[in-house]
Amino acid sequence: MNNMSDLTVIISTILIATGILFNLFGCVGLIRLPDVYNRLQSATKCVTLGTCSILLGVLLRYGFINTGIKALVAIPLLFFTATVAAHALAKGSYRFGIRLGEKSIHDDYKDEHDQDKKE
Amino acid sequence: MRQSGLFIISFIFWLLLTWSAEPGSIVTGLAVAAMSTLFFGRYYFHGVKKLLQPKRYFWLVVYLFIFIWECIKANFDVAYRVLHPKMPIKPGIVRVQLNIRSAFARTMLANSITMTPGTIAVDIVDDNMYVHWIYISSEDPVEYTRKVSGRFENYIKKIFE
C-alpha cells in the first residue's frame, strides 16, 4: 500500500514538472517568435500540454475527491475557452489590419479579407 | 424536449464542479441548469437522438486518444522550434477544404485544430477553413489538407454528424 502511494506521488510529480516545463517553453516562445500569430501559437499551445498535465498531476496527487475532480473538470473548460480565445484573437488581429510577419511564406486569407473590405 | 440534453449535461457539470450532495447545492444546481437551458437552449442540440447512440461514444473515446497523441507530438514539435537557436519556422495561413456540414461538428473540428499546437483556425468561409500554421511543410493543397484536418475529420464525422 505504501509502495502504491509512493508511485502515485512520483508520477504526479513528474506530470506537474512536465507541465511547468512546457509552460516555460510557451513563455520562451512568446518572447522569441516574430509576429502576433506565431506568438499566439506559442501562448495557447505549449500551455495545452503544460496546464493539462499540471491538472492531471493534481488529480493523481489528491485522488477522486473534491480537489481532484475540480482539476479534471477544468480540463474541458480550458479546452473550450483557450481555443475560442485564440481563434478570436487571431481573427480579430487580422481584421484590425495586422499583417503576417516577414518570415511568412503563405497567405490564403488575404484574398478573402480584401473581398470583404470591398463589399 | 430537445433542450433536455443541455439541461442534463449542465447539471452533471455542476455536480462534478461542486462535488457535494447537500440538498441546498443540488437545488441551486437544478435552478442554474434550468436557467442556462432557458437562455442558451436554442443554440445547442438540434436533436437528442444523437446523444443516445452508443457507437458515437465509442468513437469519441477512440478520438480522445488519437487527439491526445497528436497533441503531445505537436507540443514537442513546437517546443523544438521555439528552443532551436535558428528557429526553423515557416508560418502562414493556408486554405483547407472542409468535408463536414453540420455547424457543431465544424466547431469541434476548429477547436481540435486550434488545440493542436502549431495550428490555429482563423476563419471559416463557406466550405473553406483558414488555418494559421507555424510550419507549412508542403505547398500542395491536398497534402496540407490531409495534414491539418484529415487526421481529425473522419472521427469528427463519425462522432457528431
Side-chain angles (χ1 to χ4, degrees), chain B residues 67-135:
Chain B
F67 176 69
I68 291 168
W69 172 241
E70 288 286 339
C71 222
I72 292 172
K73 240 176 28 187
N75 250 304
F76 276 101
D77 185 62
V78 171
Y80 161 74
R81 292 188 198 295
V82 163
L83 296 176
H84 195 283
K86 283 184 188 152
M87 269 207 302
I89 56 169
K90 280 199 266 175
I93 294 178
V94 293
R95 185 192 290 121
V96 170
Q97 188 86 37
L98 286 176
N99 297 318
I100 295 177
R101 292 282 162 272
S102 88
F104 189 67
R106 280 182 174 185
T107 314
M108 290 311 291
L109 180 65
N111 267 353
S112 305
I113 287 175
T114 308
M115 209 56 182
T116 324
T119 48
I120 289 182
V122 178
D123 201 359
I124 292 181
V125 181
D126 301 328
D127 274 351
N128 297 315
M129 183 187 277
Y130 293 87
V131 177
H132 184 268
W133 198 0
I134 202 168
Y135 188 80

Side-chain angles (χ1 to χ4, degrees), chain A residues 45-92:
Chain A
K45 291 334 156 44
C46 289
V47 169
T48 61
L49 186 63
T51 313
C52 284
S53 64
I54 290 178
L55 289 170
L56 281 179
V58 170
L59 173 70
L60 267 185
R61 181 58 75 84
Y62 289 96
F64 283 89
I65 56 158
N66 204 342
T67 320
I69 293 287
K70 270 178 192 154
L72 191 66
V73 171
I75 292 176
L77 264 184
L78 193 75
F79 177 87
F80 286 109
T81 50
T83 48
V84 171
H87 156 75
L89 279 170
K91 191 176 173 182

Side-chain angles (χ1 to χ4, degrees), chain B:
Chain B
M1 182 56 210
R2 69 190 174 92
Q3 281 143 355
S4 59
L6 181 63
F7 178 76
I8 293 167
I9 287 175
S10 38
F11 185 59
I12 290 174
F13 198 75
W14 170 272
L15 284 182
L16 286 176
L17 207 58
T18 54
W19 202 249
S20 80
E22 286 169 37
S25 153
I26 287 177
V27 170
T28 319
L30 284 173
V32 171
M35 247 154 74
S36 51
T37 312
L38 203 66
F39 290 140
F40 303 110
R42 60 201 154 104
Y43 298 113
Y44 294 93
F45 296 121
H46 297 289
V48 197
K49 221 167 53 191
K50 283 182 189 170
L51 278 173
L52 301 174
Q53 295 169 349
K55 213 171 68 190
R56 291 178 193 275
Y57 291 98
F58 167 72
W59 284 113
L60 184 68
V61 173
V62 174
Y63 174 67
L64 268 182
F65 279 104
I66 285 171
F67 176 69
I68 291 168
W69 172 241
E70 288 286 339
C71 222
I72 292 172
K73 240 176 28 187
N75 250 304
F76 276 101
D77 185 62
V78 171
Y80 161 74
R81 292 188 198 295
V82 163
L83 296 176
H84 195 283
K86 283 184 188 152
M87 269 207 302
I89 56 169
K90 280 199 266 175
I93 294 178
V94 293
R95 185 192 290 121
V96 170
Q97 188 86 37
L98 286 176
N99 297 318
I100 295 177
R101 292 282 162 272
S102 88
F104 189 67
R106 280 182 174 185
T107 314
M108 290 311 291
L109 180 65
N111 267 353
S112 305
I113 287 175
T114 308
M115 209 56 182
T116 324
T119 48
I120 289 182
V122 178
D123 201 359
I124 292 181
V125 181
D126 301 328
D127 274 351
N128 297 315
M129 183 187 277
Y130 293 87
V131 177
H132 184 268
W133 198 0
I134 202 168
Y135 188 80
I136 298 176
S137 49
S138 114
E139 279 294 307
D140 178 25
V142 179
E143 181 71 17
Y144 60 62
T145 301
R146 194 178 60 77
K147 274 191 176 163
V148 171
S149 70
R151 54 192 174 181
F152 300 133
E153 217 164 25
N154 291 330
Y155 294 100
I156 299 253
K157 227 177 188 168
K158 278 179 188 144
I159 298 166
F160 296 110
E161 245 183 7

